[in-house]
């Protein structure tokens, strides 16, 4: 049985720290320490764990040894918006990890949904996070499954990273905006995504993972990153946003971009934020 709940106690937080190393291969310059996880919890952030309580010797309530995934977020405040609204709280989801043996089972989505439930219970209606524009699986979850939108591109956001998943490439990131209680997000979570006008598509080849992992082919991955960087920047400058994400028969990922000001799409209220 998989149990999703807030992590508690130093040992469970330390298990989250170790999972960072196991997932991303971080060295000590990039690992977020246990004390930081603790502080994030205490100041209004989230550290939510997934536990496999069916493991031999595992507690029915979960324990450090049965931790198989976690999601961590930090609290923030948005300044006054262009539409005249005052400052408002939000959460920045900084990290989500699932043990390799448990991937592709929907655990990432379960962790995000628990983040959403807990945030809404506190009256927080916005969550953001960054993700690698070359990661097809992440984009599928963030946009196709959860209904997030993207209209911001950050070049080499983290600088040099020790993560083996980065493959030595610039740490470019897309910024996902998840309006937790918006008509769009509610529709996506119910499996009824709205039909949107699409004006541009940006493709990520299915081979990108192999290219990033191979020194021989890494230049090909870099070329795709730089080409798509320019496409995203130009599209966002024209007022387009990522509204959809699909995969073709060959496994290539396709970002679908269109204008926010589309009546009936469930997103028209965002255009002035």
């Amino acid at each position: 049985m998989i149990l999703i709940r807030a992590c508690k106690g130093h040992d469970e937080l330390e298990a989250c720290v170790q999972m960072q190393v196991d997932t991303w291969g971080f060295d000590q310059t990039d690992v977020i320490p246990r004390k930081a996880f603790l502080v994030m919890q205490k100041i209004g952030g989230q550290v939510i764990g997934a536990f496999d309580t069916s493991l031999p010797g595992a507690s029915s309530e979960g324990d450090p040894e049965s931790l198989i995934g976690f999601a961590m977020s930090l609290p923030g405040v948005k300044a006054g918006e262009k539409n005249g609204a005052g400052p408002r709280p939000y959460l920045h989801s900084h990290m989500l990890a699932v043990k390799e043996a448990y991937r592709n089972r929907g655990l990432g989505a379960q962790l995000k949904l628990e983040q959403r439930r807990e945030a809404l219970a506190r009256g927080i209606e916005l969550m953001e996070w960054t993700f690698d524009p070359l990661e097809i699986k992440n984009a599928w979850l963030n946009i196709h499954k959860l209904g997030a939108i993207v209209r911001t591109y950050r070049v080499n956001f983290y600088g040099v990273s020790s993560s083996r998943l980065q493959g030595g490439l610039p740490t470019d990131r897309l910024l996902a905006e998840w309006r937790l209680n918006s008509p769009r997000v509610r529709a996506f979570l119910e499996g009824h995504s709205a039909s949107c006008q699409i004006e541009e598509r940006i493709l990520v080849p299915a081979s990108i993972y192999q290219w990033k992992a191979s020194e021989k082919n890494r230049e090909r991955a870099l070329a795709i990153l730089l080409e798509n960087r320019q496409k995203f920047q130009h599209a966002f400058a024209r007022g387009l946003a990522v509204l959809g994400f699909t995969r073709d028969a060959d496994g290539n990922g396709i970002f679908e971009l269109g204008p926010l000001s589309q009546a009936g799409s469930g997103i028209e209220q965002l255009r002035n934020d």
Side-chain angles (χ1 to χ4, degrees):
M1 176 181 174
I2 304 301
L3 175 66
I4 307 290
R5 63 162 173 81
C7 291
K8 55 188 178 182
H10 292 175
D11 290 344
E12 288 186 3
L13 297 181
E14 188 61 41
C16 292
V17 174
Q18 183 57 47
M19 195 174 294
Q20 291 179 74
V21 178
D22 296 340
T23 302
W24 288 282
F26 286 147
D27 63 25
Q28 291 304 308
T29 63
D30 283 328
V31 171
I32 297 175
R34 174 180 55 80
K35 290 181 180 179
F37 277 85
L38 178 64
V39 170
M40 290 170 200
Q41 280 188 318
K42 299 301 183 184
I43 64 173
Q46 300 169 321
V47 183
I48 295 172
F51 301 84
D52 185 352
T53 60
S54 66
L55 290 173
S59 164
S60 62
E61 298 181 355
D63 51 42
E65 290 72 28
S66 62
L67 182 77
I68 59 171
F70 75 90
M72 178 266 281
S73 71
L74 301 80
V77 177
K78 289 285 184 182
E81 304 286 356
K82 296 177 183 178
N83 60 13
R88 54 187 173 135
Y90 78 105
L91 290 168
H92 180 88
S93 184
H94 180 59
M95 191 169 282
L96 187 152
V98 173
K99 280 190 173 181
E100 186 172 4
Y102 292 86
R103 292 172 193 166
N104 302 315
R105 300 189 190 181
L107 280 179
Q110 291 182 53
L111 286 164
K112 298 305 292 185
L113 290 176
E114 178 59 17
Q115 284 186 307
R116 176 180 183 267
R117 185 205 64 77
E118 195 278 337
L120 287 173
R122 289 192 279 149
I124 298 173
E125 296 192 347
L126 173 65
M127 179 175 289
E128 295 180 347
W129 61 91
T130 61
F131 67 100
D132 189 331
L134 299 182
E135 288 289 328
I136 294 173
K137 290 181 180 180
N138 290 358
W140 178 261
L141 170 63
N142 298 337
I143 302 162
H144 181 80
K145 291 289 189 180
L146 301 178
I149 68 164
V150 178
R151 49 182 169 170
T152 302
Y153 194 98
R154 295 178 173 171
V155 175
N156 200 26
F157 182 56
Y158 293 110
V160 177
S161 172
S162 62
S163 170
R164 61 173 174 266
L165 301 181
Q166 195 62 40
L169 299 179
T171 53
D172 286 21
R173 294 293 184 266
L174 293 169
L175 178 67
E177 301 177 37
W178 201 24
R179 309 283 170 151
L180 303 179
N181 206 28
S182 67
R184 169 184 167 86
V185 168
R186 293 199 303 269
F188 268 74
L189 296 181
E190 293 169 0
H192 306 297
S193 57
S195 177
C196 295
Q197 173 190 345
I198 301 303
E199 296 187 3
E200 185 169 345
R201 290 175 172 83
I202 299 175
L203 184 141
V204 180
S207 301
I208 197 70
Y209 296 105
Q210 289 75 32
W211 295 349
K212 287 174 68 176
S214 166
E215 290 188 16
K216 178 181 177 181
N217 293 311
R218 199 160 291 156
E219 287 299 320
R220 300 178 71 179
L222 178 60
I224 294 294
L225 176 69
L226 297 179
E227 178 183 350
N228 284 359
R229 174 196 289 178
Q230 188 173 59
K231 290 179 179 178
F232 278 117
Q233 290 177 323
H234 288 172
F236 294 157
R238 303 198 320 269
L240 301 183
V242 176
L243 305 179
F245 188 84
T246 62
R247 292 182 291 200
D248 64 20
D250 296 320
N252 300 312
I254 304 169
F255 290 92
E256 299 179 327
L257 294 87
L260 282 174
S261 54
Q262 299 183 44
S265 65
I267 54 174
E268 61 271 10
Q269 76 276 12
L270 306 181
R271 62 184 183 273
N272 293 322
D273 282 4

